[in-house]
Amino acid sequence: MSSTSSQVASASGEAPPHVIEDFAGLVQLLSDGTVVRRTDTNGLPVPSFPSPLPAQWKDVVYDPNHGLKLRIYRPNSSAADVDGEVPKKLPVLVFFHGGGFCVGGFDLPTTHACCLRLAGELPAVVLSAGYRLAPENRLPAAHDDARTFVSWIRTQAAMDSDPWLANWADFGRVFVTGDSSGGNMAHHIAVALGSGLLNISPAHVTGYVLFWPFFAGVERTASETEYPPGPFVTLPVYDQFCRMSLPVGATRDHPALNPFGPDSPALEAVALPPVLVVGGEHDLLRDRIVDYVSRLKAMGKPVELVEFEGQHHGFFVVEPWGDAGDELIRVVRRFVYGSTSPGCV
């Protein structure tokens, strides 16, 4: 808040605005609705990067009305070669970053490192999308932006207007993915497309990958109450992200966060392609993730859970180049290309 605002409040006899939510000094919500935000970090350690980098990238605007951008990644030609052959068009991975809907960005180093690995080592064309953050733009703003992004992909598939995508992207093999809150967004896109509420044709979604999706509910799970706090996500942080991202007055059972809440849409009739859900053994949200997979399986949906032993929420983002990250790349590669594809393990 500026000193001018303080002086005006003082002169009028009103109490100056005060902080009512403060997430790690990165985002502060004041009592008058003002938001003070740092945009240079998401609070996670800055990863190191290998040399040479495995992929190239460029930034493109996909929603000029809100100034929203995405980062397009394509592997270096050498990384995309298979058995010395000229690379064919590659599957497309849509990636929504995490951050509890309140922090993060498509262009921050942690997101960038993850997308470099996915693009260069699967290989794939990765489309990493920015979206509006809360509390300035509370849910469903992020979900609306995800739908806008899907519409942008539909246009690109129909028009071949971007040369990188025209030359490299196989829009017949689109995988919608996301990390934490981004995994939540991937779920909502799956429901919208599978219900016929959203159309991506002539592109085609072949599968979804939800990395430790950010779901919530009023009733606590055992992992939420019993697990020791992770290095970056604790129960107070989890609750704070819910308060700051949901519409004012909403509970954690809001359909934006609870896929099985009392007002959430029924999923039995939703047509889903294969879904891969990735979680960590010590994730605070582990029980919600397991329950999500169990319920979808009970409905006959083609869903698979891969749990990483000893890992916490967001382990790939925290340490993109670690051993667990190596295995995650292998898991995603198997899902995207199938176990019999060249180079798959």
Side-chain angles (χ1 to χ4, degrees), residues 129-153:
Y131 53 89
R132 288 173 292 168
L133 299 176
E136 303 97 315
N137 302 281
R138 292 176 179 267
L139 290 167
H143 293 157
D144 293 341
D145 294 340
R147 290 184 176 217
T148 300
F149 187 50
V150 167
S151 297
W152 181 89
I153 292 172

Side-chain angles (χ1 to χ4, degrees), residues 162-206:
D162 185 281
W164 276 25
L165 299 180
N167 292 329
W168 286 79
D170 180 358
F171 283 109
R173 292 185 292 163
V174 176
F175 293 82
V176 180
T177 76
D179 141 53
S180 192
S181 54
N184 172 299
M185 294 168 69
H187 161 80
H188 281 273
I189 289 298
V191 173
L193 287 173
S195 303
L197 301 175
L198 187 63
N199 185 11
I200 197 172
S201 179
H204 176 71
V205 175
T206 307

Side-chain angles (χ1 to χ4, degrees), residues 223-253:
S223 64
E224 290 167 358
T225 57
E226 297 173 6
Y227 277 25
F232 296 100
V233 178
T234 64
L235 190 60
V237 166
Y238 169 67
D239 287 346
Q240 186 174 40
F241 280 154
C242 293
R243 290 194 306 271
M244 294 174 69
S245 64
L246 285 170
V248 175
T251 73
R252 294 190 302 272
D253 276 340

Side-chain angles (χ1 to χ4, degrees), residues 311-323:
Q311 298 299 323
H312 291 272
H313 189 87
F315 63 88
F316 182 49
V317 181
V318 174
E319 194 176 2
W321 308 100
D323 292 341

Side-chain angles (χ1 to χ4, degrees), residues 6 10 21 23 34 36 66 73 80 100-101 119 123 125 128 143 161 163 198 234 274 289 303 328 339:
S6 298
S10 177
E21 295 280 5
F23 172 65
T34 301
V36 180
H66 294 110
Y73 295 82
F101 295 106
V125 173
S128 177
H143 293 157
S161 57
L198 187 63
T234 64
I289 293 169
V303 57
L328 182 141
S339 58

Side-chain angles (χ1 to χ4, degrees), residues 93-115:
L93 260 70
V94 176
F95 186 86
F96 296 111
H97 68 81
F101 295 106
C102 297
V103 294
F106 76 96
D107 54 353
L108 290 182
T110 47
T111 305
H112 185 54
C114 294
C115 292

